[in-house]
Amino acid sequence: MNWIALRAPLDEGSAVMLRAGDSVLFSGTLYVARDKAHERITSMIEEGANLPFDPRGQVIYFMGPSPAPPGKPIGSAGPTSSYRMDPFAEAMCRAGVRGFIGKGRRSPEAREAMRAHGAVYFASFGGAGAYLSKRIRSSMVIAFDDLGPEAMLKLEVADFPAIVINDIHGGDLYEDALRERG
Amino acid sequence: MGNRRLIPTEIVAGAVGELVERASFAMPPGVEEIYEAMRGRERFEMARHTLGVIVENASIARKERLPLCQDCGATIVFCDIGQDVSLEGESLRDALDRGVLEAYERLYLRKSIVADPLTRANTGTNTPCFIHTDIVSGDRVGITVYLKGGGSENMSCLRMFRPTVSIDEIMDYITERVVEAGPNPCPPLFLGVGIGGTADLAMLNAKRAVLRGVGSVHPDPFYAGLESRILERLNKTGVGPLGFGGVSTAAAVYIEAAPTHIATLPVALNLNCHSLRYAKRVL
């Protein structure tokens, strides 16, 4: 595997360079949000309220970890299905988010919103929560503590692996897989 | 009254906690070997790498006591209760829930159950567990704990076919649904297929089917052959490990057939992710 090292937050040049099928290793900061957190952030964006983070250039990780055992920064921490966050993609992109990490296909509307705003969709290794937890250095709740496993987190990661599924040029790895390798 | 064997439900609670523990940190024997064999058949580098990650994940989970997946599942409990058994103490429901609650707390497992499907407040305990009881002959209690994640559960489906449908059409349906689900249920899949019965029984049989035993062959040669044909077909779809592409879309296909009505032919699918999580014990 030929891995591309990336910093998160993601700069515009990197987002433009990436192509579907590229494998990347993120180091830096990821923000974690899933269903309910997306619903709340999207409402805040629509209302013009202050967000719990500066979304510009950020990479959002769709995830809800298991509780951290003593001595570990986080429990198992693999991606959740991304399609449930499709209705919120446009608002998140409009606020400046530049990357999303999850697993599984996105809706045509979500793909179009990401393409139009220059945001890249990545999948990480679904169901490999123990493996991925080893790439997470620290985890901190930054908002929506009342949501339990759905709270919004800030992670510091090192060499966190992901695969580009939808690049900003219309490429789609999941479609390629069925077409070329079927 | 003949001899009745008394089993305190306290023991059932302890057993279910122990089974949650076994299932959360390690897959049944034989699963990792399946992925190693698949890795040898993949020509595509990303598919080989992904299968390697899945095996490494299992190794880390086992050694570091981290759950195989952060989605520690809905806890599904199958209880086969011998009719010569008398259960004593708190109710079976309370005992099983207590066993589940204590295990999820003690083992740092994620609690993923909401009390109501529409208002959606998390119970904070991963209970209630989902219990299926059968009364069987004998004086033993068989308990199987099956942990099912939400992402793969969401890909479940049922179709009520015409009884005159061809087997090829059923195979087309299964293949279409697996391709449509694509990366979402985290393939390679352990696919449970419930055929026959009523709509509800077909779905339950699709669940039971994946618990048959890793590496087991269907006792009926007709269904054994059908399982092989479906498996071969799924592995030609191109979906591959985690949908990134390849020839390892399904690890195994398990069919559970049941008698049915002259007018009906239900086919239910239970797509289990690559992390097969169940454990069994007989009391």
Side-chain angles (χ1 to χ4, degrees):
Chain A
M1 299 279 283
N2 189 20
W3 297 94
I4 299 168
L6 287 182
R7 290 298 304 175
L10 192 58
D11 63 82
E12 192 178 349
S14 299
V16 171
M17 169 201 80
L18 293 169
R19 293 291 184 279
D22 284 350
S23 36
V24 308
L25 294 172
F26 277 109
S27 295
T29 304
L30 302 179
Y31 285 94
V32 170
R34 47 180 289 157
D35 308 59
K36 279 286 181 189
H38 271 81
E39 198 175 68
R40 292 191 190 177
I41 294 167
T42 302
S43 302
M44 293 162 101
I45 292 171
E46 302 306 345
E47 289 160 8
N50 282 333
L51 300 183
F53 73 122
D54 179 355
R56 289 168 298 174
Q58 300 298 347
V59 179
I60 303 287
Y61 182 23
F62 304 143
M63 194 270 286
S66 64
K72 293 192 193 299
I74 199 164
S76 281
T80 193
S81 300
S82 306
Y83 70 88
R84 299 194 317 271
M85 271 55 78
D86 284 346
F88 312 109
E90 199 277 330
M92 299 293 274
C93 289
R94 200 171 357 110
V97 172
R98 195 166 278 141
F100 300 91
I101 306 174
K103 70 174 172 95
R105 292 192 194 110
R106 309 306 303 271
S107 67
E109 294 76 16
R111 291 200 300 264
E112 177 51 27
M114 292 188 289
R115 198 198 54 74
H117 288 90
V120 181
Y121 172 54
F122 304 84
S124 192
F125 296 106
Y131 174 89
L132 291 171
S133 77
K134 308 300 286 178
R135 309 295 176 100
I136 298 171
R137 296 285 171 262
S138 71
S139 166
M140 188 172 71
V141 175
I142 59 157
F144 319 136
D145 203 6
D146 60 303
L147 295 179
E150 298 202 53
M152 187 166 188
L153 310 176
K154 181 182 184 182
L155 304 182
E156 296 303 324
V157 300
D159 294 335
F160 188 91
I163 311 296
V164 178
I165 303 297
N166 295 112
D167 61 37
I168 65 171
H169 313 285
D172 187 323
L173 176 67
Y174 291 143
E175 293 304 317
D176 292 347
L178 295 179
R179 199 168 40 240
E180 293 166 16
R181 298 171 187 109
Chain B
M1 282 282 286
N3 286 338
R4 299 192 64 77
R5 180 173 169 227
L6 303 183
I7 299 181
T9 47
E10 177 76 35
I11 290 181
V12 177
V16 88
E18 180 200 316
L19 293 172
V20 166
E21 180 163 6
R22 269 169 54 197
S24 295
F25 301 105
M27 296 186 284
V31 176
E32 286 177 48
E33 287 79 356
I34 291 176
Y35 296 136
E36 291 291 3
M38 282 179 151
R39 187 147 61 150
R41 288 194 291 272
E42 288 284 2
R43 281 172 304 156
F44 177 42
E45 194 184 9
M46 183 113 64
R48 283 201 306 274
H49 181 79
T50 301
L51 290 164
V53 167
I54 291 169
V55 171
E56 197 177 336
N57 183 64
S59 162
I60 293 170
R62 197 171 49 237
K63 287 180 196 148
E64 301 211 16
R65 309 285 293 164
L66 281 164
L68 284 157
C69 181
Q70 73 287 340
D71 183 344
C72 301
T75 315
I76 305 169
V77 184
F78 292 93
C79 283
D80 294 331
I81 303 169
Q83 63 186 22
D84 299 330
V85 168
S86 186
L87 294 170
E88 298 221 319
E90 64 190 317
S91 73
L92 183 64
R93 152 63 63 194
D94 288 349
L96 292 174
D97 276 344
R98 193 163 55 78
V100 167
L101 171 162
E102 287 172 3
Y104 274 71
E105 195 56 41
R106 174 170 62 88
L107 302 167
Y108 297 92
L109 303 179
R110 199 183 81 187
K111 292 90 179 166
S112 309
I113 301 301
V114 297
D116 181 278
L118 299 180
T119 55
R120 305 198 71 81
N122 196 310
T123 62
T125 57
N126 218 54
T127 66
C129 59
F130 300 91
I131 306 172
H132 301 289
T133 49
D134 255 352
I135 305 298
V136 299
S137 61
D139 66 353
R140 289 166 177 264
V141 174
I143 305 174
T144 303
V145 165
Y146 176 31
L147 306 180
K148 188 77 196 294
S152 62
E153 182 67 1
N154 279 343
M155 300 296 113
S156 306
C157 54
L158 169 75
R159 180 154 165 199
M160 305 302 283
F161 280 95
R162 281 178 293 106
T164 53
V165 73
S166 70
I167 288 178
D168 279 345
E169 284 172 84
I170 293 174
M171 287 180 49
D172 288 347
Y173 168 71
I174 294 171
T175 309
E176 282 161 19
R177 293 314 298 249
V178 167
V179 169
E180 196 182 316
N184 292 357
C186 291
L189 302 174
F190 287 84
L191 179 66
V193 186
I195 306 182
T198 48
D200 51 331
L201 183 63
M203 204 73 246
L204 186 59
N205 281 340
K207 282 278 196 304
R208 284 185 182 279
V210 299
L211 310 173
R212 194 176 77 202
V214 175
S216 65
V217 177
H218 199 290
D220 180 335
F222 170 74
Y223 282 109
L226 187 54
E227 287 177 354
S228 306
R229 282 163 63 200
I230 295 169
L231 182 64
E232 194 179 331
R233 195 143 159 213
L234 295 179
N235 286 334
K236 284 180 181 161
T237 57
V239 172
L242 299 182
F244 298 149
V247 297
S248 311
T249 302
V253 175
Y254 303 105
I255 298 175
E256 178 106 10
T260 192
H261 187 279
I262 50 171
T264 68
L265 203 181
V267 175
L269 302 185
N270 170 30
L271 285 69
N272 200 99
C273 64
H274 59 74
S275 272
L276 184 62
R277 291 174 293 173
Y278 70 82
K280 301 180 182 188
R281 190 176 158 190
V282 177
L283 297 176

